[in-house]
Amino acid sequence: KLRAREMADEALTKKLEELNMGKLDWERYNSVRARVEENIKDMKRYLKELKKRKEERQWLHRQTSGELDENRLVEVLAGERDVFKRRGNPADHDIFLSDPINIKLVVDVSASMYRFGYDGRLERLLEATLMIMECFRGDKRFNLHITGHNGS
């Protein structure tokens, strides 16, 4: 057990060196992450449901074959041909859904964030940024870019 703990500590130290982080930074990261853990889980669950919903079959309207679309009865009398509906995957018809969505997050890094930190704005910024980073990490549907802006 002791040897396993030493190996884990060595691996953590090596990883922190790769990330250019110290132990204090790591502890700070974990404390902020612990505060938004539930929000991260909720957001990941929502993104997973969104992915499932995209893959779900839906009614495709204005088809030339299938079931008669009761919302287009007037068009039937007028002689229209595309008055049917059928079940299908709408993603087959949308070429834009295959490309990843680019998300650009601009973060306030001005001096006022630190100077007026007593009102909790810096903590809220850290929590929100960390939550977004964790939610989109490893998700191929999104490209996340984070930029700091200092107001000048």
Side-chain angles (χ1 to χ4, degrees):
K1 255 186 164 179
L2 184 61
R3 177 68 183 140
R5 183 171 295 188
E6 288 173 3
M7 288 175 60
D9 287 341
E10 288 173 14
L12 176 62
T13 304
K14 185 178 177 181
K15 185 66 174 177
L16 290 177
E17 286 175 8
E18 287 176 19
L19 296 172
N20 197 20
M21 285 178 74
K23 289 270 189 187
L24 212 58
D25 296 329
W26 177 248
E27 290 171 7
R28 175 82 172 124
Y29 170 82
N30 282 329
S31 71
V32 173
R33 191 178 195 294
R35 289 196 301 263
V36 294
E37 184 71 34
E38 285 300 314
N39 298 28
I40 292 170
K41 287 179 184 176
D42 290 342
M43 184 72 157
K44 283 187 175 186
R45 190 177 317 115
Y46 177 75
L47 291 172
K48 193 174 185 179
E49 288 173 13
L50 205 65
K51 185 177 181 180
K52 284 181 183 177
R53 199 174 312 146
K54 179 185 142 190
E55 297 166 355
E56 210 172 78
R57 291 170 38 104
Q58 298 175 355
W59 283 109
L60 302 175
H61 297 276
R62 295 185 166 262
Q63 303 296 308
T64 55
S65 64
E67 294 181 33
L68 182 63
D69 189 350
E70 58 275 355
N71 293 325
R72 301 194 35 94
L73 293 177
V74 174
E75 286 82 357
V76 169
L77 296 174
E80 293 281 331
R81 292 184 164 272
D82 56 349
V83 294
F84 297 97
K85 65 180 180 179
R86 62 183 168 85
R87 299 288 283 173
N89 190 352
D92 295 340
H93 305 290
D94 195 355
I95 60 170
F96 299 109
L97 291 177
S98 61
D99 294 336
I101 298 170
N102 291 316
I103 299 173
K104 181 134 186 163
L105 180 64
V106 181
V107 183
D108 186 356
V109 293
S110 64
S112 67
M113 293 301 288
Y114 177 75
R115 187 178 313 130
F116 300 115
Y118 58 85
D119 65 355
R121 66 177 73 178
L122 184 58
E123 290 299 313
R124 288 191 306 271
L125 176 72
L126 287 172
E127 290 171 357
T129 305
L130 179 65
M131 185 182 84
I132 291 170
M133 287 171 47
E134 288 291 325
C135 288
F136 294 128
R137 181 175 52 156
D139 197 333
K140 303 280 189 238
R141 297 173 293 166
F142 303 99
N143 290 329
L144 179 64
H145 305 281
I146 301 175
T147 304
H149 181 59
N150 65 1
S152 59

mmCIF file of all heavy atoms in Angstrom, residues 102-128:
data_model
loop_
_atom_site.group_PDB
_atom_site.id
_atom_site.type_symbol
_atom_site.label_atom_id
_atom_site.label_comp_id
_atom_site.label_asym_id
_atom_site.label_seq_id
_atom_site.Cartn_x
_atom_site.Cartn_y
_atom_site.Cartn_z
ATOM 1 N N ASN A 102 -17.667 25.707 -32.920
ATOM 2 C CA ASN A 102 -16.608 26.499 -32.299
ATOM 3 C C ASN A 102 -17.204 27.384 -31.216
ATOM 4 O O ASN A 102 -18.137 28.136 -31.480
ATOM 5 C CB ASN A 102 -15.888 27.361 -33.340
ATOM 6 C CG ASN A 102 -15.082 26.536 -34.303
ATOM 7 O OD1 ASN A 102 -14.383 25.618 -33.895
ATOM 8 N ND2 ASN A 102 -15.183 26.844 -35.578
ATOM 9 N N ILE A 103 -16.648 27.286 -30.020
ATOM 10 C CA ILE A 103 -17.091 28.103 -28.899
ATOM 11 C C ILE A 103 -15.896 28.925 -28.435
ATOM 12 O O ILE A 103 -14.845 28.380 -28.110
ATOM 13 C CB ILE A 103 -17.608 27.234 -27.742
ATOM 14 C CG1 ILE A 103 -18.799 26.413 -28.199
ATOM 15 C CG2 ILE A 103 -17.958 28.100 -26.537
ATOM 16 C CD1 ILE A 103 -19.270 25.410 -27.178
ATOM 17 N N LYS A 104 -16.051 30.231 -28.438
ATOM 18 C CA LYS A 104 -14.985 31.120 -27.986
ATOM 19 C C LYS A 104 -15.439 31.772 -26.687
ATOM 20 O O LYS A 104 -16.454 32.459 -26.654
ATOM 21 C CB LYS A 104 -14.683 32.182 -29.035
ATOM 22 C CG LYS A 104 -13.585 33.105 -28.633
ATOM 23 C CD LYS A 104 -12.622 33.291 -29.756
ATOM 24 C CE LYS A 104 -11.458 34.095 -29.269
ATOM 25 N NZ LYS A 104 -10.340 33.991 -30.132
ATOM 26 N N LEU A 105 -14.697 31.542 -25.634
ATOM 27 C CA LEU A 105 -15.008 32.090 -24.320
ATOM 28 C C LEU A 105 -14.008 33.201 -24.014
ATOM 29 O O LEU A 105 -12.800 32.961 -23.977
ATOM 30 C CB LEU A 105 -14.924 30.986 -23.259
ATOM 31 C CG LEU A 105 -15.220 31.370 -21.833
ATOM 32 C CD1 LEU A 105 -16.674 31.812 -21.696
ATOM 33 C CD2 LEU A 105 -14.944 30.202 -20.901
ATOM 34 N N VAL A 106 -14.500 34.403 -23.840
ATOM 35 C CA VAL A 106 -13.647 35.542 -23.513
ATOM 36 C C VAL A 106 -13.805 35.803 -22.020
ATOM 37 O O VAL A 106 -14.898 36.038 -21.532
ATOM 38 C CB VAL A 106 -14.027 36.794 -24.339
ATOM 39 C CG1 VAL A 106 -13.114 37.957 -23.992
ATOM 40 C CG2 VAL A 106 -13.964 36.490 -25.824
ATOM 41 N N VAL A 107 -12.683 35.734 -21.310
ATOM 42 C CA VAL A 107 -12.680 35.820 -19.853
ATOM 43 C C VAL A 107 -12.073 37.151 -19.423
ATOM 44 O O VAL A 107 -11.049 37.579 -19.959
ATOM 45 C CB VAL A 107 -11.862 34.646 -19.263
ATOM 46 C CG1 VAL A 107 -11.900 34.677 -17.760
ATOM 47 C CG2 VAL A 107 -12.368 33.327 -19.775
ATOM 48 N N ASP A 108 -12.691 37.787 -18.461
ATOM 49 C CA ASP A 108 -12.197 39.060 -17.930
ATOM 50 C C ASP A 108 -10.998 38.802 -17.018
ATOM 51 O O ASP A 108 -11.133 38.165 -15.975
ATOM 52 C CB ASP A 108 -13.321 39.746 -17.143
ATOM 53 C CG ASP A 108 -12.947 41.139 -16.663
ATOM 54 O OD1 ASP A 108 -11.792 41.559 -16.862
ATOM 55 O OD2 ASP A 108 -13.819 41.800 -16.067
ATOM 56 N N VAL A 109 -9.833 39.281 -17.426
ATOM 57 C CA VAL A 109 -8.627 39.124 -16.611
ATOM 58 C C VAL A 109 -8.081 40.487 -16.201
ATOM 59 O O VAL A 109 -6.890 40.646 -15.931
ATOM 60 C CB VAL A 109 -7.535 38.309 -17.353
ATOM 61 C CG1 VAL A 109 -7.972 36.882 -17.538
ATOM 62 C CG2 VAL A 109 -7.172 38.942 -18.679
ATOM 63 N N SER A 110 -8.950 41.478 -16.136
ATOM 64 C CA SER A 110 -8.532 42.829 -15.756
ATOM 65 C C SER A 110 -8.218 42.891 -14.265
ATOM 66 O O SER A 110 -8.577 41.998 -13.492
ATOM 67 C CB SER A 110 -9.629 43.838 -16.107
ATOM 68 O OG SER A 110 -10.789 43.580 -15.360
ATOM 69 N N ALA A 111 -7.574 43.950 -13.877
ATOM 70 C CA ALA A 111 -7.179 44.127 -12.480
ATOM 71 C C ALA A 111 -8.378 44.221 -11.547
ATOM 72 O O ALA A 111 -8.279 43.867 -10.368
ATOM 73 C CB ALA A 111 -6.307 45.366 -12.342
ATOM 74 N N SER A 112 -9.505 44.682 -12.058
ATOM 75 C CA SER A 112 -10.684 44.812 -11.200
ATOM 76 C C SER A 112 -11.186 43.463 -10.704
ATOM 77 O O SER A 112 -11.813 43.377 -9.654
ATOM 78 C CB SER A 112 -11.804 45.538 -11.946
ATOM 79 O OG SER A 112 -12.273 44.745 -13.018
ATOM 80 N N MET A 113 -10.913 42.416 -11.439
ATOM 81 C CA MET A 113 -11.333 41.082 -10.990
ATOM 82 C C MET A 113 -10.620 40.718 -9.694
ATOM 83 O O MET A 113 -11.195 40.080 -8.814
ATOM 84 C CB MET A 113 -11.052 40.034 -12.070
ATOM 85 C CG MET A 113 -11.889 40.189 -13.309
ATOM 86 S SD MET A 113 -13.649 40.088 -12.999
ATOM 87 C CE MET A 113 -13.830 38.358 -12.669
ATOM 88 N N TYR A 114 -9.369 41.104 -9.585
ATOM 89 C CA TYR A 114 -8.614 40.818 -8.364
ATOM 90 C C TYR A 114 -8.879 41.878 -7.306
ATOM 91 O O TYR A 114 -9.072 41.579 -6.137
ATOM 92 C CB TYR A 114 -7.114 40.757 -8.685
ATOM 93 C CG TYR A 114 -6.262 40.548 -7.479
ATOM 94 C CD1 TYR A 114 -6.199 39.300 -6.875
ATOM 95 C CD2 TYR A 114 -5.535 41.590 -6.918
ATOM 96 C CE1 TYR A 114 -5.433 39.099 -5.744
ATOM 97 C CE2 TYR A 114 -4.771 41.404 -5.788
ATOM 98 C CZ TYR A 114 -4.714 40.154 -5.208
ATOM 99 O OH TYR A 114 -3.963 39.956 -4.095
ATOM 100 N N ARG A 115 -8.894 43.150 -7.727
ATOM 101 C CA ARG A 115 -9.040 44.260 -6.791
ATOM 102 C C ARG A 115 -10.369 44.201 -6.052
ATOM 103 O O ARG A 115 -10.440 44.454 -4.852
ATOM 104 C CB ARG A 115 -8.922 45.584 -7.542
ATOM 105 C CG ARG A 115 -8.898 46.789 -6.629
ATOM 106 C CD ARG A 115 -8.723 48.100 -7.389
ATOM 107 N NE ARG A 115 -7.661 48.036 -8.357
ATOM 108 C CZ ARG A 115 -7.793 48.403 -9.636
ATOM 109 N NH1 ARG A 115 -8.947 48.841 -10.087
ATOM 110 N NH2 ARG A 115 -6.786 48.335 -10.464
ATOM 111 N N PHE A 116 -11.439 43.870 -6.780
ATOM 112 C CA PHE A 116 -12.756 43.820 -6.161
ATOM 113 C C PHE A 116 -13.168 42.375 -5.885
ATOM 114 O O PHE A 116 -14.331 42.019 -5.978
ATOM 115 C CB PHE A 116 -13.791 44.506 -7.054
ATOM 116 C CG PHE A 116 -13.489 45.948 -7.328
ATOM 117 C CD1 PHE A 116 -13.198 46.369 -8.611
ATOM 118 C CD2 PHE A 116 -13.462 46.867 -6.305
ATOM 119 C CE1 PHE A 116 -12.911 47.692 -8.870
ATOM 120 C CE2 PHE A 116 -13.172 48.193 -6.542
ATOM 121 C CZ PHE A 116 -12.894 48.614 -7.834
ATOM 122 N N GLY A 117 -12.205 41.552 -5.538
ATOM 123 C CA GLY A 117 -12.451 40.136 -5.299
ATOM 124 C C GLY A 117 -13.314 39.847 -4.095
ATOM 125 O O GLY A 117 -13.835 38.737 -3.956
ATOM 126 N N TYR A 118 -13.500 40.828 -3.232
ATOM 127 C CA TYR A 118 -14.294 40.606 -2.022
ATOM 128 C C TYR A 118 -15.758 40.301 -2.334
ATOM 129 O O TYR A 118 -16.457 39.722 -1.520
ATOM 130 C CB TYR A 118 -14.211 41.817 -1.087
ATOM 131 C CG TYR A 118 -14.658 43.111 -1.713
ATOM 132 C CD1 TYR A 118 -15.997 43.474 -1.746
ATOM 133 C CD2 TYR A 118 -13.729 43.991 -2.275
ATOM 134 C CE1 TYR A 118 -16.411 44.650 -2.323
ATOM 135 C CE2 TYR A 118 -14.127 45.179 -2.851
ATOM 136 C CZ TYR A 118 -15.467 45.497 -2.874
ATOM 137 O OH TYR A 118 -15.873 46.664 -3.460
ATOM 138 N N ASP A 119 -16.238 40.696 -3.513
ATOM 139 C CA ASP A 119 -17.634 40.421 -3.843
ATOM 140 C C ASP A 119 -17.823 39.064 -4.523
ATOM 141 O O ASP A 119 -18.936 38.712 -4.893
ATOM 142 C CB ASP A 119 -18.234 41.538 -4.701
ATOM 143 C CG ASP A 119 -17.597 41.651 -6.070
ATOM 144 O OD1 ASP A 119 -16.627 40.926 -6.345
ATOM 145 O OD2 ASP A 119 -18.075 42.473 -6.871
ATOM 146 N N GLY A 120 -16.747 38.306 -4.684
ATOM 147 C CA GLY A 120 -16.840 36.945 -5.185
ATOM 148 C C GLY A 120 -16.810 36.806 -6.701
ATOM 149 O O GLY A 120 -16.982 35.710 -7.231
ATOM 150 N N ARG A 121 -16.550 37.899 -7.411
ATOM 151 C CA ARG A 121 -16.581 37.819 -8.882
ATOM 152 C C ARG A 121 -15.472 36.945 -9.436
ATOM 153 O O ARG A 121 -15.677 36.225 -10.401
ATOM 154 C CB ARG A 121 -16.560 39.203 -9.513
ATOM 155 C CG ARG A 121 -15.285 39.987 -9.306
ATOM 156 C CD ARG A 121 -15.298 41.303 -10.013
ATOM 157 N NE ARG A 121 -16.177 42.209 -9.313
ATOM 158 C CZ ARG A 121 -16.377 43.465 -9.654
ATOM 159 N NH1 ARG A 121 -15.755 43.965 -10.680
ATOM 160 N NH2 ARG A 121 -17.178 44.220 -8.979
ATOM 161 N N LEU A 122 -14.295 36.986 -8.833
ATOM 162 C CA LEU A 122 -13.194 36.158 -9.322
ATOM 163 C C LEU A 122 -13.487 34.677 -9.093
ATOM 164 O O LEU A 122 -13.227 33.841 -9.962
ATOM 165 C CB LEU A 122 -11.886 36.558 -8.638
ATOM 166 C CG LEU A 122 -10.630 35.848 -9.116
ATOM 167 C CD1 LEU A 122 -10.418 36.068 -10.605
ATOM 168 C CD2 LEU A 122 -9.410 36.326 -8.340
ATOM 169 N N GLU A 123 -14.051 34.356 -7.953
ATOM 170 C CA GLU A 123 -14.412 32.961 -7.670
ATOM 171 C C GLU A 123 -15.476 32.462 -8.640
ATOM 172 O O GLU A 123 -15.384 31.343 -9.138
ATOM 173 C CB GLU A 123 -14.910 32.821 -6.223
ATOM 174 C CG GLU A 123 -13.837 32.994 -5.178
ATOM 175 C CD GLU A 123 -12.728 31.963 -5.308
ATOM 176 O OE1 GLU A 123 -13.052 30.764 -5.449
ATOM 177 O OE2 GLU A 123 -11.554 32.352 -5.266
ATOM 178 N N ARG A 124 -16.470 33.289 -8.920
ATOM 179 C CA ARG A 124 -17.520 32.894 -9.869
ATOM 180 C C ARG A 124 -16.944 32.699 -11.266
ATOM 181 O O ARG A 124 -17.336 31.778 -11.989
ATOM 182 C CB ARG A 124 -18.646 33.926 -9.889
ATOM 183 C CG ARG A 124 -19.504 33.906 -8.642
ATOM 184 C CD ARG A 124 -20.762 34.742 -8.794
ATOM 185 N NE ARG A 124 -20.511 36.113 -9.202
ATOM 186 C CZ ARG A 124 -20.283 37.130 -8.365
ATOM 187 N NH1 ARG A 124 -20.280 36.913 -7.063
ATOM 188 N NH2 ARG A 124 -20.074 38.347 -8.817
ATOM 189 N N LEU A 125 -15.997 33.565 -11.641
ATOM 190 C CA LEU A 125 -15.349 33.435 -12.944
ATOM 191 C C LEU A 125 -14.555 32.138 -13.025
ATOM 192 O O LEU A 125 -14.637 31.408 -14.024
ATOM 193 C CB LEU A 125 -14.428 34.626 -13.210
ATOM 194 C CG LEU A 125 -13.623 34.555 -14.498
ATOM 195 C CD1 LEU A 125 -14.523 34.772 -15.692
ATOM 196 C CD2 LEU A 125 -12.495 35.556 -14.484
ATOM 197 N N LEU A 126 -13.814 31.823 -11.968
ATOM 198 C CA LEU A 126 -13.047 30.573 -11.934
ATOM 199 C C LEU A 126 -13.974 29.359 -12.022
ATOM 200 O O LEU A 126 -13.705 28.415 -12.777
ATOM 201 C CB LEU A 126 -12.215 30.494 -10.653
ATOM 202 C CG LEU A 126 -10.994 31.386 -10.566
ATOM 203 C CD1 LEU A 126 -10.408 31.334 -9.160
ATOM 204 C CD2 LEU A 126 -9.959 30.973 -11.582
ATOM 205 N N GLU A 127 -15.042 29.385 -11.268
ATOM 206 C CA GLU A 127 -15.982 28.261 -11.267
ATOM 207 C C GLU A 127 -16.631 28.080 -12.633
ATOM 208 O O GLU A 127 -16.720 26.961 -13.143
ATOM 209 C CB GLU A 127 -17.050 28.475 -10.192
ATOM 210 C CG GLU A 127 -16.527 28.355 -8.788
ATOM 211 C CD GLU A 127 -17.534 28.783 -7.738
ATOM 212 O OE1 GLU A 127 -18.651 29.230 -8.117
ATOM 213 O OE2 GLU A 127 -17.216 28.676 -6.548
ATOM 214 N N ALA A 128 -17.081 29.179 -13.236
ATOM 215 C CA ALA A 128 -17.750 29.086 -14.537
ATOM 216 C C ALA A 128 -16.785 28.608 -15.621
ATOM 217 O O ALA A 128 -17.131 27.749 -16.441
ATOM 218 C CB ALA A 128 -18.338 30.443 -14.920
#
